[in-house]
Amino acid sequence: MGSGSKPAAVVVVTFAVLMAAVTTTCQAAYGPPNPASCGLKVGYYYAKCPHAEEIVKNVVGAAILHNPGVGAGLIRMLFHDCFVEGCDASVLLDPTPANPQPEKLSPPNMPSLRGYEVIDAAKAAVEAACPGVVSCADIVAFAARDASFFLSNSRVAFQMPAGRLDGRYSNASRALDFLPPPKFNLGQLVANFAAKGLGVEDMVVLSGAHTVGDSHCSSFVPDRLAVPSDMEPPLAAMLRTQCPAKPSSGNDPTVVQDVVTPNKLDNQYYKNVLAHRVLFTSDASLLASPATAKMVVDNANIPGWWEDRFTKAMVKMASIEVKTGGNGEIRRNCRAVNH
């Protein structure tokens, strides 16, 4: 499976899109998202709300202890937030009469995105300590970092710069515009990430988050279970027993994305890619070019290689199109804009 494109074609697409990726105010005109250029910094709340990060970490840790799956949801939430309108907590906004179709109701988020109640709990705890100080966007970023820490048994540990403001706009159609579907091939994935200032290695490294969490059958059926398929036959056979041949809104079960270590954030995903034990076309497509295939091999085989790159890519992703100044606010309630 994969894009079917020649490696050279992928390189051309990558270069062209990267050169065209002149992004919004908080990203360099030519280059990747940069926390410093957005006014983000580590320890942003040390003076304003000294225990903010500790409070969020405690809430996230308790939630993951109760249900490890919610940790995968919190990591995914940061990605789904940042790729649509930037890292501004727009994915948290509930529908209102004035805005009946926010991002959270878009097919990429509904019903699969989870962890909203953890963000609510963290926001409530932070508000009790420091009212009106900590943005929901920063809480989403902290929660993804902390979920990574707990699900990796502390092997993925990093500092998350903060200082984001919350956005006021959320539209379901924008999620469809910017979030890459699981059926994307390699060229489409490269272009999608480049449009947000992220490179090919960022894309490969962030795909490793598929080592935790579940997927609805509709995300890979029938494409990946068709015959012939490059999926490992025993896995395909098992999935055919778990998934309906034609998933529907009333019959769309979930399965684990990583059958080896489903609740552990580790580099097993890359071993699964090499063994053809991955669910999505987008996962399998990482072997479609020599360059990305080598990245998969390195992430699979070199101890600590993927974890180191994942921490850097998460910080970079969490700096996409950040709201600052008059472009945002600090919401009192993460589900609604201030009035």
Side-chain angles (χ1 to χ4, degrees):
M1 299 289 286
S3 67
S5 301
K6 296 179 181 179
V10 173
V11 172
V12 171
V13 169
T14 305
F15 180 75
V17 178
L18 279 172
M19 291 305 292
V22 179
T23 50
T24 59
T25 53
C26 277
Q27 292 175 220
Y30 300 100
N34 183 338
S37 69
C38 305
L40 304 184
K41 64 179 182 179
V42 171
Y44 181 83
Y45 293 108
Y46 286 177
K48 302 178 181 181
C49 188
H51 301 294
E53 295 189 41
E54 181 184 357
I55 291 169
V56 175
K57 188 172 186 177
N58 289 339
V59 171
V60 171
I64 291 175
L65 187 64
H66 177 71
N67 177 11
V70 79
L74 292 170
I75 296 171
R76 185 168 175 243
M77 181 179 288
L78 179 65
F79 173 66
H80 280 225
D81 184 38
C82 292
F83 264 56
V84 186
E85 310 302 341
C87 307
D88 66 348
S90 54
V91 74
L92 303 179
L93 290 172
D94 280 344
T96 65
N99 185 27
Q101 288 292 314
E103 290 169 36
K104 64 165 50 173
L105 297 188
S106 188
N109 296 324
M110 180 71 182
S112 60
L113 195 62
R114 53 181 170 165
Y116 297 112
E117 72 287 351
V118 181
I119 302 299
D120 289 340
K123 176 64 170 176
V126 170
E127 284 293 301
C130 313
V133 173
V134 182
S135 70
C136 300
D138 280 339
I139 291 174
V140 170
F142 292 150
R145 174 200 62 188
D146 297 336
S148 300
F149 175 83
F150 289 116
L151 291 178
S152 68
N153 293 327
S154 76
R155 292 191 64 186
V156 176
F158 60 101
Q159 294 182 310
M160 177 63 78
R164 301 162 190 81
L165 291 180
D166 300 324
R168 303 183 182 94
Y169 176 78
S170 183
N171 189 295
S173 66
R174 302 283 282 175
L176 292 170
D177 290 340
F178 293 109
L179 291 172
K183 296 179 182 180
F184 260 14
N185 63 33
L186 182 60
Q188 291 169 315
L189 284 173
V190 168
N192 177 267
F193 275 69
K196 295 299 177 181
L198 299 177
V200 178
E201 186 175 34
D202 296 319
M203 181 272 292
V204 173
V205 165
L206 290 169
S207 295
H210 287 173
T211 192
V212 288
D214 299 336
S215 167
H216 283 272
C217 291
S218 58
S219 295
F220 59 90
V221 176
D223 304 52
R224 293 281 289 150
L225 298 187
V227 179
S229 169
D230 82 338
M231 186 183 288
E232 179 195 55
L235 177 60
M238 183 183 73
L239 291 171
R240 290 188 187 101
T241 69
Q242 297 177 326
C243 292
K246 295 182 179 180
S248 64
S249 58
N251 186 19
D252 192 8
T254 60
V255 298
V256 297
Q257 294 194 86
D258 177 354
V259 295
V260 183
T261 58
N263 290 322
K264 185 178 180 183
L265 190 73
D266 56 16
N267 69 338
Q268 181 63 44
Y269 166 80
Y270 300 97
K271 300 173 184 177
N272 293 345
V273 172
L274 293 171
H276 301 277
R277 293 177 184 166
V278 285
L279 298 184
F280 306 144
T281 298
S282 58
D283 295 328
S285 76
L286 299 187
L287 299 179
S289 83
T292 54
K294 184 181 185 305
M295 294 175 193
V296 171
V297 170
D298 289 343
N299 285 318
N301 294 321
I302 302 174
W305 185 271
W306 172 72
E307 288 86 352
D308 177 65
R309 281 153 182 77
F310 184 71
T311 62
K312 294 178 174 64
M314 285 285 280
V315 170
K316 190 187 297 185
M317 181 179 71
S319 306
I320 294 174
E321 299 166 25
V322 169
K323 303 291 188 298
T324 59
N327 293 324
E329 63 186 15
I330 296 175
R331 286 186 219 140
R332 292 184 292 272
N333 175 354
C334 289
R335 294 174 177 265
V337 299
N338 295 338
H339 296 292

